[in-house]
Amino acid sequence: MFPGIVRSSSRHLPCRRSLMTVRDALNSAIDEEMAADPKVFVMGEEVGEYQGAYKVTKGLLQKYGPDRVLDTPITEAGFTGIGVGAAFQGLKPIVEFMTFNFAMQAIDHIINSAAKTYYMSGGQIAVPIVFRGPNGAAAGVGAQHSQCFAAWYGSCPGLKVVTPYSAEDARGLLKAAIRDPDPVVFLENELLYGENFPVSSQVRDPNFTLPIGKAKVEREGTDVTITAFSKMVGFALKAADELAKDGIKAEVINLRSIRPLDRETINASVRKTYRLVAVEEGWPQHGVCAEVCASVQEETFDYLDAPIERISGADIPMPYAANLERLALPQIEDIVRAAKRACYRSK
Amino acid sequence: MLDFPGAKAAFTSRMEFISPNAAEAVPCFRILDDLGRALDGSDIPEVDSSLAVKMYHTMVRLQTFDSIFYEAQRQGRISFYLTNIGEEALNVASAAALTKDDVVFPQYREHGVLMWRGFTLDEFANQCFSNEAGHGKGRQMPIHYGSEKLNYFTISSPIATQLPHAVGAAYGLKMDRKNACAVTYFGDGGSSEGDFHAACNFAAVLEAPVLFVCRNNGYAISTPACEQYKGDGIVVRGRGYGMTSIRVDGNDALAVFKAVSAARKLAVEQSKPVLIEAMTYRVGHHSTSDDSTKYRSGEEIAHWRSVRDPVLRFRRWLESNAWWSVEDEKELRGAARKEVISAMNQAEKKNKPPLSELFTDVYDTLPRNLLEQEATLRDTVSKNPPSLAPH
């Protein structure tokens, strides 16, 4: 079998047996945590009979019954408030949003009821809840189905916000989120659900978790640091392959966690490479990259040999037409060009 | 017979629209008349003298606390206050009909429920003065009480958010097979929120043991009930959700006690939600940020404050049973006033919460960035004038 964790899915052709899709990673994580703890339950639209809008909760209703897998009426505000109330009472709900775009109808409960209650109650009422679902752009779904919420939730004290990329991330971070006594916003990506990643037997272990708040260096390098999260990690890795052909060794950091943000790993990397390209799919203003830039500027200013580059989505609601959508989102070439700019290799 | 998935009903060949309101409003259940006398044919609930006197004591203490702390805000001693005046019977009688295991999700005008459960005058005062003795660690604005021990969930300001919370908690109680229900309070205004709809619908669909207690006190800040809804109040909505409901005279302590007791039994034994619309009147201003004489007449307020005072009404019933006297009244009023003032003065003297409680409870464990922020803050404080030093 394969020894350890393979760093980049694009560089190996592992045996099929050790592959796992992100969807299966999420499904198995929820399944195992529900088996281990009777207080864990799932709620959301279409999660039960329909097996999940994206099949992430497939099989769970059959296995655990309708008491623990609740198909809810259509009211994000309603079922989010109910989930929070259940968490107040000591249960551990996993609330699924069909997409985080719809969670805006429930955002008062996520912020005012979930994020702030432990603090407001003087530490008396914990909220061990997980909010999960697809976030960011999919393909051809237009403005109201494509927004990235990482920056919004990432600014709120009281929340933890994680953004898995690989199957290993999905399993480890979701298990950690379910076990965490704090409210966790778990931002998935629809286009990653079907993607296969090699996983070790360690990752498949029912007690496998990843620490929330630690980034992962997906690929080591010496010339430029590229930070990314979720789907953009894949793009960053491909960009690194391109850059390698020109002799530029890029270090790719998978943030994994937006809040807490692993400033240490990011800054340690920039102290090694002296150059930074921060990548995200969402809007530029007040984005996650803005926080990454601020952190590096504050802590590692003297090491920087070039201004920090930010690559983000266009500052517009997402258009539908395929060509326009492609233009509105970061592409691998954009990351490559930014890295070269940072290395003074091109305009 | 109709066999559409959405409804099972008989057909009719007569096109008849259902009128917006029934010929008569849903009747309002009461046991005592306005002068505190049991109405003919009333079935008085089991309230013995000790329970009745305890309820009365709590109502008077609540009334006294409200009037003194309202004045304290006017004098600038606390930043904000909100009274329960006019709703003392509703608060206390409903609380008396519950057990300590029933979990309460209040809006904010239910201090009497917490007082009944055992929150002390000191605890109330400490919270209002946000001092270091307050278990709330100075985190919340005044009157935003909470007590895990007394099963009274910390008050959340946004209106009606507690309704779906209560349903979720009720679901938790049901899963744990507890002999308890969730009870949530809200006003006529709160019933307009989307959360009300979601909570009611969900509670019925999930079959959650929860009581929805609407304090219909006629006003939502300045919006009168006639501008809040066009239907027959909130009770009629119960049927729309497939939920048992009742309208009760919220100023009649006995009626409230009886209705809430029966509702609780139904909720716990059958795992069903119940909607109780308690008609009452908000005698005080919405809060210290409001002057209600701007939108209602002084005569109206005076009428409800005096002639329709629910505390006086209940007292009359106690007196008719020879359970209360003029001397008892004088003694209680004097003692209550003394106790409240003492609690207030002591709370005011205590220190505010220490800096060490600024960064705790954001998360289960203090994260590194907050430890760093605290260290930086302590450093700043130590290098600067004492006025910044929080002791």
Side-chain angles (χ1 to χ4, degrees):
Chain A
M1 287 300 286
F2 289 84
I5 293 144
V6 179
R7 287 194 185 273
S8 165
S9 62
S10 64
R11 289 157 102 217
H12 293 254
L13 285 172
C15 166
R16 273 209 69 83
R17 261 182 300 151
S18 76
L19 289 179
M20 187 186 261
T21 61
V22 170
R23 177 181 290 114
D24 287 343
L26 297 169
N27 181 272
S28 61
I30 299 171
D31 192 348
E32 287 161 17
E33 294 306 301
M34 286 181 77
D37 185 349
K39 298 215 169 270
V40 176
F41 75 102
V42 172
M43 60 191 301
E45 294 154 7
E46 311 297 334
V47 296
E49 294 284 353
Y50 195 74
Q51 308 295 301
Y54 297 101
K55 306 292 178 270
V56 173
T57 51
K58 185 173 172 182
L60 297 179
L61 173 66
Q62 284 66 34
K63 193 167 173 182
Y64 297 100
D67 277 353
R68 295 185 67 197
V69 181
L70 268 63
D71 273 322
T72 66
I74 304 178
T75 162
E76 278 71 14
F79 66 70
T80 306
I82 283 161
V84 170
F88 286 170
Q89 189 54 30
L91 294 182
K92 294 186 188 172
I94 303 171
V95 176
E96 173 174 307
F97 293 114
M98 203 176 284
T99 134
F100 267 92
N101 294 274
F102 304 160
M104 279 201 282
Q105 293 182 292
I107 206 162
D108 177 74
H109 280 296
I110 298 173
I111 310 299
N112 277 327
S113 302
K116 298 178 187 172
T117 291
Y118 193 55
Y119 189 76
M120 289 194 324
S121 70
Q124 288 186 69
I125 306 174
V127 194
I129 193 168
V130 174
F131 301 108
R132 53 156 293 272
N135 172 67
V141 288
Q144 295 174 331
H145 294 77
S146 307
Q147 190 173 333
C148 175
F149 292 88
W152 284 19
Y153 292 121
S155 73
C156 292
L159 288 180
K160 288 182 178 160
V161 182
V162 291
T163 48
Y165 160 62
S166 62
E168 176 191 332
D169 288 357
R171 259 184 74 79
L173 291 174
L174 187 51
K175 280 166 159 301
I178 294 167
R179 296 179 190 193
D180 200 305
D182 296 313
V184 181
V185 171
F186 194 87
L187 303 172
E188 301 159 6
N189 183 287
E190 190 202 316
L191 299 179
L192 287 175
Y193 284 148
E195 220 174 284
N196 265 301
F197 290 86
V199 290
S200 68
S201 53
Q202 185 198 14
V203 172
R204 288 180 190 274
D205 187 280
N207 275 314
F208 174 71
T209 58
L210 285 172
I212 292 177
K214 282 298 295 164
K216 181 186 177 197
V217 178
E218 291 282 352
R219 175 179 176 140
E220 281 178 11
T222 51
D223 300 331
V224 59
T225 299
I226 305 176
T227 63
F229 61 93
S230 188
K231 185 150 157 291
M232 290 293 111
V233 176
F235 278 31
L237 288 167
K238 295 213 167 74
D241 286 341
E242 281 298 310
L243 290 163
K245 292 178 190 161
D246 284 328
I248 298 174
K249 299 188 214 51
E251 177 148 294
V252 176
I253 298 180
N254 171 2
L255 293 181
R256 277 184 169 171
S257 179
I258 304 297
R259 175 177 267 269
L261 188 63
D262 188 353
R263 298 164 207 276
E264 248 176 30
T265 299
I266 298 167
N267 281 283
S269 175
V270 178
R271 280 196 293 278
K272 193 173 65 166
T273 66
Y274 314 142
R275 299 161 205 281
L276 174 63
V277 175
V279 183
E280 71 188 306
E281 214 179 52
W283 293 323
Q285 190 167 339
H286 311 302
V288 172
C289 291
E291 183 60 32
V292 170
C293 290
S295 174
V296 170
Q297 188 278 132
E298 281 162 9
E299 297 181 42
T300 313
F301 180 78
D302 293 326
Y303 288 77
L304 287 168
D305 278 351
I308 300 168
E309 294 275 345
R310 278 192 297 171
I311 297 295
S312 68
D315 202 13
I316 58 175
M318 187 66 68
Y320 167 75
N323 65 319
L324 296 179
E325 185 178 35
R326 196 179 187 285
L327 288 168
L329 287 168
Q331 303 299 333
I332 297 166
E333 310 87 73
D334 296 311
I335 304 173
V336 170
R337 277 195 291 268
K340 286 184 174 174
R341 279 197 301 270
C343 295
Y344 300 129
R345 296 300 180 93
S346 72
K347 67 165 165 46
Chain B
M1 194 76 182
L2 205 67
D3 64 349
F4 289 112
K8 305 264 176 285
F11 285 105
T12 172
S13 19
R14 231 181 48 216
M15 184 184 77
E16 202 179 326
F17 284 86
I18 303 171
S19 68
N21 281 299
E24 283 179 18
V26 170
C28 184
F29 171 61
R30 61 157 44 171
I31 292 173
L32 300 174
D33 67 10
D34 283 340
L35 296 174
R37 297 175 300 209
L39 293 160
D40 287 336
S42 289
D43 188 11
I44 299 190
E46 281 170 36
V47 175
D48 63 13
S49 69
S50 84
L51 178 59
V53 167
K54 185 176 177 210
M55 282 165 65
Y56 186 70
H57 268 230
T58 310
M59 290 185 214
V60 168
R61 216 168 251 119
L62 177 64
Q63 223 177 37
T64 310
F65 193 95
D66 271 352
S67 87
I68 289 172
F69 270 71
Y70 184 89
E71 288 310 314
Q73 193 278 346
R74 278 359 226 155
Q75 293 163 14
R77 292 165 83 174
I78 52 175
S79 67
F80 174 83
Y81 194 74
L82 183 155
T83 64
N84 306 266
I85 303 178
E87 301 182 49
E88 298 90 344
L90 172 46
N91 266 230
V92 174
S94 62
L98 304 171
T99 74
K100 61 176 173 54
D101 294 324
D102 298 320
V103 293
V104 174
F105 285 84
Q107 179 66 75
Y108 45 57
R109 212 181 294 280
E110 300 89 11
H111 316 169
V113 175
L114 187 55
M115 193 176 275
W116 175 265
R117 287 189 163 200
F119 211 58
T120 65
L121 295 181
D122 284 335
E123 286 176 308
F124 278 106
N126 287 336
Q127 199 282 337
C128 286
F129 282 92
S130 63
N131 63 34
E132 66 183 352
H135 71 284
K137 302 181 188 174
R139 301 276 170 72
Q140 288 255 53
M141 46 187 289
I143 72 95
H144 285 63
Y145 310 112
S147 170
E148 187 200 2
K149 188 178 71 179
L150 300 176
N151 274 330
Y152 187 95
F153 276 77
T154 204
I155 287 172
S156 166
S157 302
I159 300 293
T161 55
Q162 72 279 8
L163 300 185
H165 296 167
V167 178
Y171 190 75
L173 291 171
K174 182 176 162 178
M175 294 288 286
D176 288 342
R177 304 208 193 308
K178 288 232 169 84
N179 179 2
C181 64
V183 182
T184 183
Y185 295 81
F186 56 101
D188 39 292
S191 75
S192 295
E193 284 278 1
D195 273 346
F196 168 84
H197 167 72
C200 286
N201 190 37
F202 244 107
V205 170
L206 282 179
E207 294 182 326
V210 54
L211 304 189
F212 291 103
V213 182
C214 177
R215 292 180 294 95
N216 189 334
N217 63 17
Y219 289 92
I221 307 189
S222 71
T223 307
C226 60
E227 286 176 27
Q228 192 68 245
Y229 50 73
K230 282 296 175 217
D232 176 19
I234 282 80
V235 63
V236 284
R237 302 182 198 177
R239 182 154 271 188
Y241 295 110
M243 185 163 56
T244 305
S245 51
I246 189 170
R247 169 174 277 161
V248 67
D249 179 347
N251 284 4
D252 178 346
L254 292 183
V256 170
F257 181 82
K258 188 164 185 188
V260 174
S261 302
R264 184 195 178 275
K265 188 162 188 281
L266 196 158
V268 173
E269 287 175 6
Q270 295 181 39
S271 194
K272 292 247 166 74
V274 182
L275 172 63
I276 300 165
E277 181 183 24
M279 309 307 296
T280 181
Y281 187 86
R282 193 197 77 207
V283 172
H285 306 304
H286 165 70
S287 72
T288 48
S289 310
D290 174 46
D291 174 9
S292 62
T293 59
K294 293 212 162 26
Y295 51 83
R296 55 182 182 175
S297 73
E299 290 85 54
E300 181 186 313
I301 303 171
H303 171 76
W304 285 90
R305 184 187 291 278
S306 56
V307 171
R308 307 291 293 273
D309 177 10
V311 183
L312 176 59
R313 187 172 169 192
F314 191 55
R315 177 179 142 199
R316 291 215 163 103
W317 183 69
L318 260 71
E319 286 169 346
S320 74
N321 286 323
W323 293 342
W324 197 253
S325 70
V326 170
E327 286 75 41
D328 291 328
E329 181 71 14
K330 199 159 157 229
E331 197 188 311
L332 175 61
R333 291 275 173 187
R337 194 179 160 73
K338 256 217 199 98
E339 284 160 21
V340 170
I341 290 175
S342 163
M344 179 170 73
N345 288 338
Q346 299 217 42
E348 194 173 31
K349 283 199 211 93
K350 292 198 171 81
N351 283 325
K352 296 298 182 221
L355 188 157
S356 59
E357 294 293 9
L358 186 61
F359 297 103
T360 49
D361 309 318
V362 181
Y363 295 101
D364 186 60
T365 52
L366 258 179
R368 207 193 24 237
N369 71 314
L370 289 185
L371 283 167
E372 284 167 14
Q373 286 181 29
E374 183 175 348
T376 314
L377 181 58
R378 284 192 185 279
D379 189 53
T380 308
V381 164
S382 70
K383 290 175 180 156
N384 281 280
S387 60
L388 262 187
H391 72 268

